[in-house]
Amino acid sequence: VCSSDLDEWRDGPGFLSFRDGTPSCPEWADGRMMYDDKHLYIAAHVGDPEPLRSVIDPAIDPGDGWRGGSVQVRLSTDRTMGWPADGNTANYYSQRQSEPNAGQKAAARNPRLAHLTLWYHAASRTPCLTINHGMQFVDFVLNPSGFRGAFTRDADGKGYVLEYAIPWGLLNCADDPPRAGDRLAAVWQVNWSDAAGRMRR
């Protein structure tokens, strides 16, 4: 069951960000992350005037889950990469008209870099998760066995809360999960949807 107020997360680290930088903005995100020796835990309270309306069907367009409103978390579970994580997409080099060297190519293939997309498919009332590994977005998986996710719409209809538990095995580090003192890279991106359940432009 997904808590509607994230009370149990209040003592943990997190961030609060507004889409246009002003506290009056109706589109905002309060993000949290925690962990233990088995799971990564992600929670967010998202201000959204059109919450949980995604029409992106995981059975048809599993790679497009972000387009209907989502939270995306990109992270490294490789403590040797530090901050910022040393890995770039192919577009990074093509836009700069350069070629990656052997070390840069290897960094981009690191299986302990993960791109997570968390969203709610409205028609089936299904919490969804996709995971891509490395900066080349390979080894794509949809709703892998073992993860848990839940969403709750705000009582006023102007936002939602999500909570996910993702086993370290799905992030390729079950034998060496993150531990206290690690300096790991992570970045969040929130995508809001319109009334039709597609990404707001």
Side-chain angles (χ1 to χ4, degrees):
V1 177
C2 186
S3 167
S4 61
D5 53 17
L6 297 185
D7 274 350
E8 72 275 26
W9 293 78
R10 290 303 169 195
D11 293 334
F15 69 89
L16 177 62
S17 181
F18 299 89
R19 187 179 189 189
D20 68 1
T22 64
S24 61
C25 181
E27 296 159 329
W28 50 268
D30 178 352
R32 310 279 168 153
M33 297 174 76
M34 295 193 292
Y35 72 96
D36 59 24
D37 60 348
K38 299 293 185 183
H39 296 87
L40 169 67
Y41 301 98
I42 298 174
H45 190 182
V46 178
D48 189 342
E50 308 288 352
L52 305 183
R53 295 174 181 261
S54 179
V55 298
I56 306 301
D57 190 335
I60 299 173
D61 297 307
D64 289 339
W66 61 278
R67 291 180 177 272
S70 65
V71 170
Q72 294 182 290
V73 179
R74 301 169 179 89
L75 75 156
S76 165
T77 61
D78 184 346
R79 67 181 59 85
T80 68
M81 296 193 90
W83 170 263
D86 182 18
N88 295 300
T89 64
N91 283 344
Y92 175 89
Y93 298 101
S94 63
Q95 289 172 358
R96 290 160 177 77
Q97 298 181 345
S98 65
E99 287 292 326
N101 60 37
Q104 291 167 329
K105 289 179 180 179
R109 292 192 297 268
N110 190 326
R112 292 182 62 163
L113 291 172
H115 176 100
L116 314 176
T117 302
L118 296 64
W119 89 97
Y120 181 81
H121 180 226
S124 65
R125 300 181 181 178
T126 303
C128 297
L129 170 69
T130 57
I131 305 176
N132 296 82
H133 293 287
M135 297 304 295
Q136 298 170 325
F137 306 125
V138 297
D139 301 327
F140 175 89
V141 293
L142 165 69
N143 293 339
S145 176
F147 94 93
R148 302 189 309 274
F151 288 78
T152 299
R153 188 187 307 269
D154 286 357
D156 62 5
K158 296 180 180 179
Y160 64 90
V161 170
L162 67 79
E163 292 184 270
Y164 275 68
I166 303 171
W168 289 124
L170 296 177
L171 303 177
N172 293 329
C173 63
D175 59 341
D176 183 26
R179 56 180 182 258
D182 285 348
R183 190 177 187 207
L184 302 173
V187 63
W188 285 52
Q189 178 176 331
V190 177
N191 301 298
W192 288 271
S193 65
D194 60 17
R198 295 191 177 276
M199 188 173 71
R200 191 170 304 155
R201 298 291 182 184

